[in-house]
């Protein structure tokens, strides 16, 4: 059994950012497909901008995102800072604010999650 926290930090501005989010989603899907594995998929920083894009059914990677969206959450502070808080709320994605408005990476480490960033 593996425990993974995949953190998407890449923004939406470049081809390289697109590659990072797709790689992150593919990694998340691999964990999600393995019974017994535990997955946390966290969109943080500029990565919060991906949620409204990936929620669009016409997006090239919507289906990939949809396959792991049950595990998705977003940084509460960063969602507001990047102007996507309403879209994230409309999508029903949980926001995390355990550490000064941000997700608590320490608590994930304490719970034996491997932190993987994209």
């Amino acid at each position: 059994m593996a425990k993974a926290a995949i953190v998407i930090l890449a923004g939406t501005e470049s081809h390289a950012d697109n590659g990072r989010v797709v790689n992150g989603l593919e990694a998340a899907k691999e964990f999600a497909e393995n019974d017994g594995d535990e997955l946390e998929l966290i969109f943080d920083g500029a990565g919060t901008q991906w949620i409204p894009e990936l929620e669009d059914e016409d997006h090239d990677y919507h289906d990939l995102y949809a396959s792991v969206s049950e595990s998705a959450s977003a940084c509460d502070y960063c969602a507001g800072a990047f102007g996507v808080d309403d879209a994230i709320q409309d999508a029903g994605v949980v926001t995390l604010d355990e550490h000064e408005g941000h997700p608590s990476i320490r608590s994930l480490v304490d719970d034996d999650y491997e932190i993987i960033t994209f």
Side-chain angles (χ1 to χ4, degrees):
M1 176 178 97
K3 294 173 79 172
I6 296 180
V7 182
I8 306 291
L9 297 165
T12 57
E13 295 184 8
S14 73
H15 186 67
D17 291 333
N18 189 65
R20 281 190 285 280
V21 77
V22 170
N23 286 323
L25 292 173
E26 284 290 349
K29 183 179 176 187
E30 185 176 6
F31 285 102
E33 290 175 342
N34 281 291
D35 291 337
D37 284 358
E38 294 183 36
L39 170 66
E40 295 286 337
L41 174 60
I42 302 170
F43 291 83
D44 202 354
T48 58
Q49 298 170 345
W50 278 109
I51 293 173
E53 289 202 22
L54 294 167
E55 285 283 335
D56 180 352
E57 293 180 3
D58 292 329
H59 194 281
D60 288 345
Y61 297 106
H62 169 76
D63 290 341
L64 177 58
Y65 167 74
S67 73
V68 293
S69 63
E70 285 184 11
S71 300
S73 59
C75 174
D76 186 63
Y77 180 87
C78 295
F82 285 91
V84 292
D85 46 348
D86 289 340
I88 288 173
Q89 183 177 14
D90 290 346
V93 174
V94 173
T95 56
L96 305 174
D97 64 357
E98 303 96 354
H99 181 70
E100 299 179 5
H102 300 275
S104 173
I105 300 300
R106 190 208 175 280
S107 69
L108 291 166
V109 170
D110 191 47
D111 289 338
D112 296 323
Y113 277 83
E114 186 75 29
I115 310 297
I116 306 167
T117 60
F118 288 90

